[in-house]
Amino acid sequence: MTEERVGVYVCHCGHNIAGTVDVEAVAQWAQTLPYVAVARDYRFMCSSLGQELIEKDIKELGLTRVVVAACSPHMHEPTFRGVSARAGLNPYLMEMANIREHASWVHRDDMAAATDKAKALVAGAVRRALELKPLEPFKAAIKETTLVVGGGIAGITAALEIANSGYPVIMVEREPSIGGHMAQLDKTFPTLDCSACILTPKMFDVGTHPNITLLTYSEVEQVDGYIGNFTVRVRKKARKINTDVCTGCGDCWSRCPAKVVDEGFEAGLGYRTAVYRPFPQAVPKYPVIDVENCIYFQKGTCRACEKFCPTGAISFDQEDEILVLSVGNIVLATGYKTFDPRQIPQYGYGRLANVFTSMEFERMVNAAGPTGGKVVLRDGVTTPKSVGIIHCVGSRDHRFNRYCSATCCMAALKFAHLVKERTEAEVYQFYIDMRASFKDYEEFYVRILEEGAHMVRGRVAEVTDAARQPGEEGKLIIQVEDTLIGRQRRIPVDMVILMVAMEPQEDAVEIAHRFGIGCSNAGFFIERHPKLDPVATMTDGIFIAGACQGPKDIPESVGQGAATAARVLSLIGQKEVEIEPIRAQIDESRCSGCRVCNTMCPYSAIDYIEDLGVSRVNPALCKGCGTCVAACPSQVISGQHFTYEAIMAQIEGLLYDVHAGNGHVTVVEPQPVEVA
């Protein structure tokens, strides 16, 4: 150890660190630590000049360890590992001290405390760096097949981009058809394109592409493996239809006597039969039998669909299939669900007939929807003469979802246009802030104003049918404080549309656990970095796209789908990928074979070797999480790069001031007591 030479580099990070931490003092102090050969501070260590400075020192001063005191390792650890590697130093002999989040940002009002804490963090990093061992990453081949989970517009885009590049794709969709929420829309803002017209060709391409295997009505049950080599277990649910002979002619559902409310595609506004195809342009074209509502499965009679099927495609005995897939990369594009406005009872949804959700209205104005595109009240006949559209229902609300759902303002403006176009009704928009921030969105907002929509700024307090004044009888009254004129208003309308929030799928947390990724506090999947890496996750080889990451409109979802495809293709092009060597390691000579680690490992990376009576880590599956290290009762498992010696040395370094006897215990001198 006496030969070690450590270089310490303290970053200003502009005012992020230097605004609170005296970085020059920290660097000068670090120079006095044992084994430190050089200590420098620089304005931006991550810049090219900062990196060149470290490279030069490693070569010219013969540094054997490097400590960079800067921001989170999550942000720049790969950057400085790369610097070390370019200078000929093993990259795992570089250690970072996070003096931005852990010192500067948490002690903004106390520069002395922030500087002292930065010194402690640097001391801990130097001590730990001295215990680090050189590690070598190992390489794994990457399978060319990619799994895309979710058949909405983001998943469709990712699948087509990859497939068009000549590589195989397997798409898994839990619904009977791909298309997602976009297939439910009539028009898209701000161009008012027909949604089906731009989506259907892409759905068709997915269904017929030679490089895409489409598994609808299927769900992923288990995922094992690592980047380049994932093994995925998929349950392909029984359609009760033999798709080899089915022609999608429709004779089965046209003869089915069981009618049920379509809570899925029609958002509860229409009906379907027990054997059904979600919508006419569905891909694939084959129907599915809803076992829970099928008369045959409930009562043992009927079988009308079987009797009238011209090709004998009905297969009541069909069972679920389990498929085991081997893929190299995974794209998650599982989408979103909508907020249930029953949680806000004062808005009257479910109690007042003519209060609709935004998705219900989407289906109403759709030419292929339950009303054929006519805007009518719940009776199916009466055309409204006035419509109130309430923004931010369930979003930007601390009781439900604090975030903005991003699409509601523009969708509400689109609804105003469609109502005007089809009914000439008076339209009132009730908004908190109008957010029209992307290309051509502001122009669309101005267009709606010119068409005569009334804009009322204020969060709606209540929607009621209790009339108080003449003209309110038989109407829905929207009670709101108009903050632009500073007074309460009661506005009677015939129809209310609630712009409900976009929320994570109900099983988002379960899916995240299944794929080994994380969820935010709101429940959306977490990206590797919100700005620099918004489509990757902390699990290599698994990417996210679309509204499963957060509220997004169609262009943004398409952009993310294409971005995930580019990332996947870049990995496939490499043929093999380096896997970080930070893994658990078992000292088999001391292992008692108790198997505690086998049961604790969340990645099933530890096997029990019967012949030897010991456990052994599969480094390809291990993620280096350390669970087994903490659980081992014999303490014979160590985490490479996070050994017991390294952790204890870091703690010793953090407590440098205690050992030196110059700690920060505040001594309060006794004050003389004044006697009156």
Side-chain angles (χ1 to χ4, degrees):
M1 182 172 291
T2 54
E3 298 178 356
E4 303 296 353
R5 294 173 62 80
V6 182
V8 178
Y9 300 90
V10 187
C11 181
H12 291 230
C13 196
H15 285 288
N16 271 316
I17 297 174
T20 308
V21 175
D22 185 346
V23 292
E24 294 180 1
V26 173
Q28 291 171 6
W29 174 84
Q31 184 75 63
T32 66
L33 294 174
Y35 306 107
V36 172
V38 63
R40 304 184 193 277
D41 63 280
Y42 190 71
R43 195 171 180 185
F44 292 105
M45 280 295 173
C46 60
S47 67
S48 58
L49 292 177
Q51 295 184 43
E52 289 170 4
L53 174 67
I54 300 173
E55 281 187 58
K56 183 180 177 184
D57 281 355
I58 293 173
K59 294 175 181 174
E60 294 184 355
L61 302 179
L63 301 181
T64 59
R65 299 285 190 280
V66 168
V67 170
V68 180
C71 55
S72 165
H74 182 61
M75 173 80 79
H76 275 306
E77 191 173 59
T79 302
F80 295 113
R81 279 183 178 170
V83 172
S84 301
R86 289 197 298 274
L89 183 67
N90 186 287
Y92 295 92
L93 298 180
M94 189 282 302
E95 175 65 13
M96 288 194 73
N98 184 356
I99 63 171
R100 188 179 70 177
E101 283 90 334
H102 293 172
S104 174
W105 284 3
V106 293
H107 298 290
R108 288 187 180 280
D109 300 324
D110 192 339
M111 189 167 191
T115 302
D116 287 344
K117 190 171 182 181
K119 290 179 180 178
L121 293 169
V122 169
V126 170
R127 292 290 296 271
R128 174 175 151 77
L130 293 169
E131 299 294 336
L132 296 179
K133 306 296 181 188
L135 298 175
E136 295 296 333
F138 57 93
K139 296 184 177 181
I142 294 183
K143 291 185 170 64
E144 292 186 346
T145 303
T146 301
L147 175 70
V148 176
V149 183
I153 186 59
I156 287 174
T157 302
L160 288 175
E161 292 284 343
I162 297 169
N164 288 339
S165 299
Y167 295 105
V169 175
I170 301 173
M171 174 177 280
V172 174
E173 166 60 49
R174 70 171 71 181
E175 298 296 331
S177 169
I178 59 174
H181 286 297
M182 188 175 171
Q184 296 176 277
L185 309 183
D186 179 54
K187 295 184 183 301
T188 60
F189 59 78
T191 54
L192 297 177
D193 290 321
C194 167
S195 182
C197 299
I198 56 178
L199 176 65
T200 303
K202 288 187 172 293
M203 293 169 58
F204 181 79
D205 289 346
V206 169
T208 57
H209 203 293
N211 289 335
I212 297 179
T213 302
L214 182 56
L215 300 175
T216 55
Y217 211 44
S218 304
E219 290 193 73
V220 175
E221 291 192 334
Q222 186 177 340
V223 179
D224 297 308
Y226 51 93
I227 179 172
N229 294 275
F230 292 104
T231 301
V232 183
R233 174 187 162 103
V234 175
R235 178 175 292 275
K236 186 178 181 183
K237 293 180 283 188
R239 283 178 176 266
K240 307 297 181 184
I241 301 291
N242 184 352
T243 55
D244 291 336
V245 296
C246 178
T247 61
C249 66
D251 282 353
C252 55
W253 63 76
S254 65
R255 305 284 184 164
C256 178
K259 301 292 189 295
V260 295
V261 176
D262 188 350
E263 299 288 354
F265 190 78
E266 296 294 0
L269 209 60
Y271 294 86
R272 62 166 171 79
T273 52
V275 54
Y276 70 101
R277 186 169 63 188
F279 51 100
Q281 305 94 333
V283 174
K285 61 186 177 184
Y286 313 116
V288 60
I289 293 181
D290 174 6
V291 173
E292 292 184 358
N293 292 293
C294 174
I295 295 173
Y296 170 71
F297 283 101
Q298 299 303 316
K299 300 181 179 178
T301 59
C302 186
R303 301 177 78 109
C305 53
E306 185 182 47
K307 295 172 186 171
F308 291 100
C309 178
T311 61
I314 305 298
S315 176
F316 291 115
D317 298 329
Q318 194 178 72
E319 299 291 338
D320 293 356
E321 293 181 59
I322 301 298
L323 307 177
V324 179
L325 311 176
S326 184
V327 300
N329 293 282
I330 297 173
V331 176
L332 289 176
T334 52
Y336 68 95
K337 73 178 183 69
T338 54
F339 174 78
D340 183 355
R342 292 180 180 85
Q343 298 175 64
I344 309 178
Q346 60 268 34
Y347 285 174
Y349 181 75
R351 177 169 52 85
L352 302 174
N354 292 314
V355 178
F356 295 83
T357 67
S358 46
M359 188 54 74
E360 284 178 330
F361 190 75
E362 287 281 5
R363 293 308 305 151
M364 183 188 297
V365 294
N366 194 302
T371 65
K374 295 180 180 177
V375 178
V376 291
L377 300 182
R378 195 73 74 168
D379 62 9
V381 178
T382 309
T383 301
K385 296 180 179 177
S386 54
V387 177
I389 304 175
I390 302 176
H391 295 218
C392 300
V393 178
S395 57
R396 302 187 68 201
D397 188 331
H398 70 277
R399 298 170 298 172
F400 307 105
N401 301 304
R402 292 176 179 271
Y403 55 83
C404 171
S405 284
T407 62
C408 307
C409 285
M410 295 305 297
L413 295 175
K414 180 186 72 174
F415 287 170
H417 170 81
L418 295 176
V419 170
K420 281 284 185 183
E421 180 184 74
R422 302 182 189 191
T423 68
E424 290 298 326
E426 291 295 318
V427 179
Y428 298 86
Q429 298 258 353
F430 301 89
Y431 68 101
I432 303 174
D433 291 315
M434 185 56 65
R435 300 186 171 185
S437 52
F438 295 113
K439 184 180 179 182
D440 295 334
Y441 286 13
E442 180 68 17
E443 290 86 340
F444 188 70
Y445 170 48
V446 173
R447 174 181 174 181
I448 301 307
L449 292 179
E450 292 172 349
E451 289 178 353
H454 305 285
M455 308 301 291
V456 181
R457 194 184 75 179
R459 184 182 287 279
V460 169
E462 183 182 24
V463 177
T464 179
D465 58 354
R468 294 184 197 166
Q469 302 167 6
E472 293 183 350
E473 292 82 4
K475 299 277 189 177
L476 297 172
I477 301 97
I478 298 176
Q479 177 77 46
V480 61
E481 180 189 8
D482 189 333
T483 58
L484 290 178
I485 60 175
R487 68 182 180 87
Q488 291 285 333
R489 297 180 67 181
R490 287 172 62 84
I491 300 176
V493 296
D494 296 319
M495 172 188 287
V496 171
I497 304 170
L498 304 178
M499 305 305 300
V500 293
M502 298 172 72
E503 291 187 328
Q505 295 280 14
E506 288 181 345
D507 57 354
V509 173
E510 182 185 342
I511 292 174
H513 288 163
R514 194 171 299 158
F515 286 88
I517 63 174
C519 284
S520 66
N521 290 335
F524 293 106
F525 297 154
I526 293 180
E527 63 284 333
R528 183 181 287 270
H529 191 281
K531 298 178 182 63
L532 302 178
D533 209 351
V535 298
T537 67
M538 294 304 292
T539 300
D540 293 336
I542 296 182
F543 302 91
I544 51 179
C548 65
Q549 188 219 17
K552 289 179 182 59
D553 59 12
I554 293 170
E556 198 173 0
S557 297
V558 170
Q560 276 208 326
T564 56
R567 297 294 299 276
V568 167
L569 291 172
S570 72
L571 288 170
I572 295 174
Q574 295 175 32
K575 306 294 183 187
E576 59 182 13
V577 64
E578 285 190 349
I579 296 181
E580 206 167 62
I582 300 175
R583 298 287 186 263
Q585 200 169 43
I586 297 178
D587 182 353
E588 295 183 8
S589 65
R590 297 167 53 208
C591 177
S592 64
C594 67
R595 308 190 198 188
V596 170
C597 55
N598 299 59
T599 57
M600 296 293 291
C601 179
Y603 303 102
S604 303
I606 305 178
D607 301 318
Y608 180 71
I609 312 301
E610 292 283 353
D611 296 343
L612 302 177
V614 298
S615 294
R616 183 175 293 169
V617 175
N618 182 342
L621 297 179
C622 177
K623 303 293 184 187
C625 68
T627 302
C628 58
V629 179
C632 178
S634 304
Q635 295 186 355
V636 300
I637 308 179
S638 61
Q640 294 187 70
H641 204 63
F642 292 93
T643 61
Y644 177 82
E645 292 78 13
I647 297 296
M648 293 308 296
Q650 186 168 19
I651 294 172
E652 290 284 339
L654 289 167
L655 299 174
Y656 81 95
D657 52 350
V658 175
H659 294 291
N662 58 349
H664 302 281
V665 178
T666 302
V667 178
V668 180
E669 298 291 341
Q671 299 294 317
V673 179
E674 293 184 2
V675 179

